[in-house]
Amino acid sequence: MTQLRKGVLEYCVLAQLEEDATYGLELAGRLVATRLMSSEGTVYPLLSRLRRLGWVETTWRESPEGPPRRYYELTASGRKALTEFRITWRTFAAEVDSLIGERH
Amino acid sequence: MSKKITSPLEHDLVRKYIEDLRRELADHDPREAAEILTSIEEHILDAATRAGDISSESLARIIGALGPVERIASAATPAVAATTHTIAAREWVVLGVAAVSALMLIPAPWLAAILAIAGLAVAYSQYRTRRLGPIETIAAVIDLVVIFLFALMMLTLVGSGEPELRPEAVEVVESANTP
C-alpha cells in the first residue's frame, strides 16, 4: 500500500499545482489535510524530484507576510504527464474495482 | 549573557533538526539533498513568520509538523550505487586501521594510540555529515578501547615510578688513580 501511495503521490502534487502556482508551506498543508501525506516535510523530496524531471519549475514571489517565497508551478511537460497519468489511473482503478468489487 | 535570537534558523531546536536532516541526507543525491535542506529552511522561516512567534514551543510545533528527518530522507532519492560502494570500502579501511592499532598495543603502544586517535578523528568527521554505519561504529569502539588501555598502561607505568637510588645500593668504585 505504501508503494502504491508513493507512486501516485507525485501526480497528486502535480494535480495540486494544475490550477495555480503554490508555495511549499501551503502545498504541504493541503496534502497533509487530505491524509495522503503523513507529515509536511516529505513534500520537498517529491518537489525536488519533479523539478529535476522538468515537470515543475520554481519562481520567487513577494509575500505579504515576510520574505519572498519560492512558488512551484507546473510546466508543459508536467501537464502532459498529469494528463497521461489520469488516463492510466482511470483504466487501472476501473480494472481493480472490477476485480475486487464491493461486498454488501 | 545569552545571545538574542532574531531568526528561527538560529534557534538550537531548528539548528539540530537541520543538522540531523543533513546527516540523514548525506548518502543521498547531493543536489537533491541541498535543495531539500534549503526548502525545509524556507518552510520553517515561512511558518514562523506566519505564526509570528519564534518561541521554542512554536518552533517545536513547526518541526513536529514537518515530521521526523528519517521520514523526509526516506522520500529522497538514494545516491548512485558507486557512492555507496565507496562508503562501504572506506568503512572496511577504517575497521582495518582499528584492528592494526589493537594488534600494535603491546609491541608498539605509542603507534597504537596514534592510529586509534586518527581512527576516532575520522569517525567523528564522518559522524558530522552522516550516520555511522555498523562497521564504522565497531571500528570506533575498538579505537576507544585501545585509547583506554593505552591510558591505563601509561598510568600504571607512572604509578610504579622509577626505582629510587638508595645510598646502600650505590657501589663505590675506587679508582686506582685516586690519591
Side-chain angles (χ1 to χ4, degrees):
Chain A
M1 204 61 186
T2 311
Q3 289 305 318
L4 180 63
R5 191 188 292 254
K6 269 188 177 177
V8 299
L9 208 48
E10 290 182 0
Y11 296 96
C12 294
V13 171
L14 293 182
Q16 287 296 311
L17 300 174
E18 196 176 19
E19 294 298 318
D20 283 309
T22 312
Y23 56 96
L25 182 65
E26 172 70 21
L27 181 61
R30 262 195 241 162
L31 289 164
V32 169
T34 61
R35 293 163 67 179
L36 269 170
M37 205 172 258
S38 53
S39 53
E40 293 176 349
T42 43
V43 76
Y44 295 105
L46 271 179
L47 285 169
S48 173
R49 200 152 48 242
L50 292 174
R51 203 184 61 78
R52 281 186 299 126
L53 281 168
W55 292 355
V56 162
E57 61 187 4
T58 58
T59 49
W60 287 91
R61 295 188 192 175
E62 289 301 322
S63 157
E65 292 171 326
R69 284 173 171 145
R70 190 200 301 256
Y71 274 73
Y72 297 86
E73 58 189 314
L74 220 53
T75 62
S77 59
R79 270 177 214 286
K80 188 166 172 276
L82 180 60
T83 307
E84 285 169 3
F85 178 76
R86 278 197 175 114
I87 298 164
T88 311
W89 177 255
R90 277 174 192 144
T91 314
F92 172 75
E95 282 168 359
V96 172
D97 275 348
S98 72
L99 278 173
I100 63 173
E102 270 189 52
R103 285 200 171 220
H104 295 287
Chain B
M1 198 174 77
S2 63
K3 189 184 158 201
K4 191 176 183 330
I5 292 171
T6 52
S7 162
L9 300 182
E10 292 172 8
H11 197 286
D12 284 347
L13 265 179
V14 176
R15 283 162 65 156
K16 184 178 181 310
Y17 186 77
I18 295 292
E19 206 44 53
D20 288 347
L21 181 58
R22 191 187 307 282
R23 197 172 296 134
E24 282 295 324
L25 289 169
D27 292 342
H28 290 72
D29 181 273
R31 277 185 308 168
E32 190 176 319
E35 201 170 311
I36 294 167
L37 283 163
T38 310
S39 303
I40 293 285
E41 284 180 348
E42 286 166 15
H43 180 109
I44 294 170
L45 273 175
D46 207 0
T49 307
R50 183 184 277 185
D53 181 6
I54 55 168
S55 65
S56 298
E57 294 74 24
S58 172
L59 292 173
R61 265 196 303 277
I62 292 168
I63 287 172
L66 277 167
V69 290
E70 295 83 1
R71 192 181 292 161
I72 299 174
S74 72
T77 313
V80 288
T83 312
T84 315
H85 289 155
T86 310
I87 290 169
R90 200 185 302 150
E91 284 183 1
W92 285 107
V93 170
V94 169
L95 183 62
V97 171
V100 169
S101 79
L103 290 171
M104 298 301 281
L105 188 61
I106 301 298
W110 282 101
L111 180 62
I114 290 166
L115 284 176
I117 290 168
L120 264 190
V122 170
Y124 179 71
S125 71
Q126 295 298 327
Y127 177 73
R128 283 174 63 86
T129 55
R130 64 179 169 83
R131 181 182 283 183
L132 292 182
I135 297 169
E136 288 168 311
T137 309
I138 293 168
V141 171
I142 294 173
D143 288 332
L144 275 174
V145 171
V146 168
I147 291 168
F148 175 74
L149 291 175
F150 173 79
L152 211 63
M153 283 165 73
M154 290 299 117
L155 283 174
T156 312
L157 274 178
V158 171
S160 65
E162 291 290 324
E164 286 177 22
L165 284 179
R166 285 167 292 140
E168 61 271 26
V170 178
E171 191 182 342
V172 179
V173 179
E174 283 184 18
S175 167
N177 298 332
T178 310

